[in-house]
């Protein structure tokens, strides 16, 4: 460990952010990197626990105490090598991961956890600055060809790992540029697209080929892929959003959150917008759904200069500290106040939407809502709710954004044509161990298999799936698994 008494001497601190009044004028990132002294102190807080639960909390199995020690000692190349050994894209997770590793941090039992995510972000940015990040090309090629469908984090991780193993990888993306939700879902103020483009260019230099505006099953024939490639990986994500089928749903002004966010990302990137433009400017905006996507809608609406922004959630307000049913080191569902909430929004809990109200022209003008009261189960979790009598009311709204999550991948088209089996939730059926569908050479990774999840889980799935594809193609694999014993193999290696 860097400093045995560090966790006793230093408090948890976070990097500076630009003031709200300044940052909402544009779509640039506003969280600064840590100064050298602050970074040194924060890495010193890591206790190098006998059993580092942060390893288990991280879906990638990041080797956190070791890279914290390297950061404390200013061994930047070593810190980078340790970090990249388990995580292909720390510049993404360091910005947008909810940091389940920090929830599992042993220090977090009775103190604020180590700032693992921020340290991770600083390591990779320093590595880019110092020139440590270079294309990692395979020593030889196997002659095997793999098609990866989808260029989100799962597809990119799969492609990167299979390319390291020596296979020729082609990534098919239906959008005009690669990146999936990294590019067209997450706002630029959380993840500037120059960061995504930097990694895409690096993958291209390593030998990965990207084919954009390539919608497999529409303008790319499935039969061509089956004939040309030795293996196919489905990494298209969970794309069917959860709807809200209440009266007035058809009104103009009611939209899925991703329609709104994708348009803004295109706007910032100077890409054409084919649909009618969605803007929150001078409107009463209501965001239905309390998760990260809803928060992104709040931040974007603030930058549009909305008249008012209200975000509400059906569930009760989460607690600020762990409850009995969320013990350490599990990931706790606590009240989360994001940087977008800091910029301004009214947040309501225990609210159900009864109807959307329109004017004579079919334009949304208000939402009818009602308060609900929850009863708790024996362990304290919300179990059932009923409407509160006399609480029915209407609030003004000209733009309603549905941010209630995603159900499953689109079944029509590609999945039907491939003949892959689906599970009871509508996801592509495959085990976490094999990532293999019911079709001989077709594999699946990410949200398309596990359902809507985190970016860090998508990267983990892509890495694990790549190993299984490599085993299928070659009979053995040098690609590392997160389940490999650290005691036997030391720190993980990328290949």
């Amino acid at each position: 460990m860097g400093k045995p008494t560090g966790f006793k001497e230093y408090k948890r601190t976070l990097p500076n952010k630009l003031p709200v009044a300044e940052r909402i004028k544009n779509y640039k990132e506003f969280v600064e990197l840590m100064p050298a002294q602050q970074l040194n102190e924060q890495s010193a807080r890591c206790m190098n626990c006998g059993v580092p639960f942060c390893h288990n909390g991280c879906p990638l199995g990041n080797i956190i105490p070791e890279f914290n020690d390297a950061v404390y000692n200013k061994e930047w190349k070593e810190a980078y090598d340790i970090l990249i050994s388990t995580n292909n894209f720390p510049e993404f997770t360091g910005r947008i991961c909810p940091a389940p590793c920090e929830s599992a941090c042993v220090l977090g039992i009775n103190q604020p956890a180590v700032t693992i995510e921020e340290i991770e972000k600083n390591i990779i940015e320093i590595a880019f600055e110092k020139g440590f990040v270079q294309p990692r090309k395979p020593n030889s090629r196997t002659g095997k060809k793999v098609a990866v469908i989808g260029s989100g984090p799962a597809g990119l991780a799969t492609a990167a790992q299979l390319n390291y193993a020596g296979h020729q990888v082609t990534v098919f993306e239906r959008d005009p540029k690669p990146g999936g939700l990294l590019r067209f879902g997450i706002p630029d103020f959380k993840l500037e697209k120059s960061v995504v483009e930097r990694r895409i260019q690096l993958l291209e230099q390593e030998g990965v080929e990207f084919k954009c505006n390539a919608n497999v099953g529409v303008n790319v024939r499935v039969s061509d892929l089956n004939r040309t490639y030795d293996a196919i990986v489905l990494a298209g994500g969970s794309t069917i959003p959860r709807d809200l089928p209440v009266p007035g749903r058809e009104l103009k002004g009611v939209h899925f959150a991703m329609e709104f966010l994708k348009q803004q990302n295109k706007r910032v990137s100077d890409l054409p917008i084919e649909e009618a433009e969605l803007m929150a400017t001078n409107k009463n905006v209501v965001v239905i759904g309390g998760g990260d996507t809803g928060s992104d809608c709040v931040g974007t609406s603030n930058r549009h200069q909305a008249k008012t922004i209200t975000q509400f959630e059906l569930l009760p307000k989460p607690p600020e500290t762990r409850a009995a049913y969320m013990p350490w080191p599990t990931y706790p569902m606590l009240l989360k106040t994001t940087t977008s909430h800091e910029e301004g929004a009214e947040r309501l809990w225990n609210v159900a939407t009864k109807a959307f109200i329109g004017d004579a022209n079919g334009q949304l003008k208000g939402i009818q809502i009602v308060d609900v009261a929850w009863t708790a189960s024996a362990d304290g979790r919300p179990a059932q709710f009923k409407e509160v009598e006399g609480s029915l009311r209407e609030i003004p709204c000209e733009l309603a954004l549905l941010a209630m999550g995603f159900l499953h991948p689109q079944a029509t088209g590609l999945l039907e044509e491939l003949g892959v089996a689906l599970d009871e939730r509508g996801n592509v059926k495959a085990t976490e161990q094999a990532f293999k569908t019911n079709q001989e050479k077709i594999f699946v990774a990410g949200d398309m298999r596990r359902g809507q999840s985190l970016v860090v889980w998508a990267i983990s799935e892509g890495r694990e799936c790549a190993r299984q594809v490599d085993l299928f193609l070659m009979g053995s694999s040098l690609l590392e698994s997160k389940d490999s014993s650290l005691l036997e193999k030391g720190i993980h290696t990328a290949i």
Side-chain angles (χ1 to χ4, degrees), residues 32-185:
E32 300 174 359
L33 293 175
M34 286 183 177
Q37 182 60 30
Q38 184 185 18
L39 187 57
N40 180 264
E41 292 175 358
Q42 292 306 296
S43 62
R45 296 186 72 239
C46 180
M47 301 190 295
N48 195 12
C49 311
V51 180
F53 280 83
C54 54
H55 285 184
N56 185 62
C58 174
L60 287 163
N62 281 345
I63 308 161
I64 294 161
E66 284 82 353
F67 72 58
N68 278 329
D69 179 71
V71 168
Y72 178 80
N73 290 297
K74 298 182 176 62
E75 297 289 348
W76 300 114
K77 182 62 165 62
E78 180 185 359
Y80 167 68
D81 287 341
I82 295 171
L83 179 57
I84 203 68
S85 68
T86 56
N87 185 353
N88 297 77
F89 315 122
E91 67 270 37
F92 302 154
T93 54
R95 286 170 165 85
I96 58 176
C97 181
C101 55
E102 295 185 15
S103 299
C105 174
V106 175
L107 185 59
I109 295 175
N110 60 5
Q111 288 190 42
V114 175
T115 54
I116 299 169
E117 182 180 18
E118 288 296 335
I119 292 171
E120 180 178 311
K121 174 184 172 182
N122 279 262
I123 291 172
I124 187 62
E125 292 304 324
I126 289 171
F128 272 108
E129 179 188 336
K130 292 183 177 293
F132 300 149
V133 186
Q134 296 294 325
R136 295 186 292 169
K137 298 180 180 180
N139 293 326
S140 61
R141 290 290 180 183
T142 64
K144 301 292 186 180
K145 300 175 69 176
V146 182
V148 176
I149 302 174
S151 67
L156 294 179
T158 305
Q161 292 295 99
L162 287 172
N163 182 68
Y164 298 155
H167 307 306
Q168 188 61 56
V169 183
T170 303
V171 180
F172 293 84
E173 171 55 57
R174 64 182 177 182
D175 279 322
K177 288 191 175 184
L181 288 185
L182 296 170
R183 188 183 291 273
F184 290 116

Side-chain angles (χ1 to χ4, degrees), residues 37 60 62 78 184 238 242 265 279 310 375 377 384 404:
Q37 182 60 30
L60 287 163
N62 281 345
E78 180 185 359
F184 290 116
S238 183
R242 182 174 283 107
N265 281 354
M279 294 294 293
T310 306
T375 55
S377 59
Q384 293 180 316
M404 302 176 296

